[in-house]
Amino acid sequence: TDEYYGQGRADHNFSERDNMFVRYTGDGTEQFQPNGFEYFQSLRFSRSQFGTISENHVFSPTLINTARFSYSRTNLGGQDVTTDDKLTGPQFSFVPGLAAGAILVSGLSNWGSNGTQSSAKQNIFTYSDDVVYTRGTHTIKMGTLINRFQQWMIGSIFHRGSVSFSNVASFL
């Protein structure tokens, strides 16, 4: 498993009453998993990105406003991959032009890869605005939070094909 993570933030004071920050976070991973035989493995990956812009304004010592916008994107995916191109061709492939599919024999480890692929992506756009008012020992906080979600899911299974046998005798 490899993971790459980074975060950056910048702050700026426009005046005694106005300040702002911008923050970005990125996180990516790749994970290879063997599938019983050295020629086949699964690749799972993710790539997430998060960005935020926030601004504070002090109207008076008792009245403060905070406005914030953020964007989040997650991308989760994976696929079964063949690690040896020698397993492509009419003598191996169940589907012309693709690598060897899966051979499933009850009671034995599976051989090959059925070519499963998946992808799930999500975008979240968030806007918030809060006003805090203090009077004496009382504090009132009012605001709004609006989220907009976009989601996509794509998947394919068995696109390389598979052959199943109920026992070793039927396979032989």
Side-chain angles (χ1 to χ4, degrees), residues 110-128:
N110 296 340
W111 182 88
S113 169
N114 60 34
T116 299
Q117 294 181 329
S118 65
S119 177
K121 296 178 183 177
Q122 175 176 264
N123 292 329
I124 304 172
F125 301 89
T126 302
Y127 173 75
S128 67

Side-chain angles (χ1 to χ4, degrees), residues 25 29-30 54 57 76 96 100 105 107 127 134 136-137 150:
T25 304
T29 62
E30 286 186 351
S54 180
H57 182 78
L76 307 174
V105 180
Y127 173 75
T134 304
T137 60
Q150 296 175 327

Side-chain angles (χ1 to χ4, degrees), residues 40-172:
F40 302 97
Q41 61 186 353
S42 294
L43 168 63
R44 304 285 177 240
F45 59 88
S46 69
R47 176 77 173 128
S48 300
Q49 300 179 75
F50 311 96
T52 302
I53 298 173
S54 180
E55 191 264 341
N56 290 320
H57 182 78
V58 178
F59 289 99
S60 71
T62 60
L63 184 63
I64 300 172
N65 185 73
T66 301
R68 183 172 290 176
F69 175 78
S70 65
Y71 171 72
S72 302
R73 179 175 178 83
T74 55
N75 181 1
L76 307 174
Q79 61 186 352
D80 291 340
V81 294
T82 303
T83 59
D84 192 341
D85 291 336
K86 294 176 187 171
L87 295 176
T88 302
Q91 70 276 30
F92 298 111
S93 302
F94 301 147
V95 178
L98 296 180
I103 297 175
L104 314 168
V105 180
S106 294
L108 298 177
S109 294
N110 296 340
W111 182 88
S113 169
N114 60 34
T116 299
Q117 294 181 329
S118 65
S119 177
K121 296 178 183 177
Q122 175 176 264
N123 292 329
I124 304 172
F125 301 89
T126 302
Y127 173 75
S128 67
D129 196 312
D130 297 314
V131 175
V132 179
Y133 177 68
T134 304
R135 184 166 183 176
T137 60
H138 302 283
T139 301
I140 298 172
K141 182 176 181 178
M142 298 175 288
T144 187
L145 173 68
I146 299 169
N147 287 317
R148 179 171 186 248
F149 291 84
Q150 296 175 327
Q151 298 175 326
W152 300 271
M153 296 186 79
I154 300 170
S156 67
I157 57 173
F158 299 111
H159 74 269
R160 289 187 196 157
S162 66
V163 178
S164 299
F165 299 92
S166 59
N167 54 47
V168 176
S170 63
F171 169 69
L172 294 175

Side-chain angles (χ1 to χ4, degrees), residues 17-29:
R17 295 179 174 252
D18 279 306
N19 64 62
M20 168 183 264
F21 78 82
V22 176
R23 179 179 58 225
Y24 172 81
T25 304
D27 183 23
T29 62

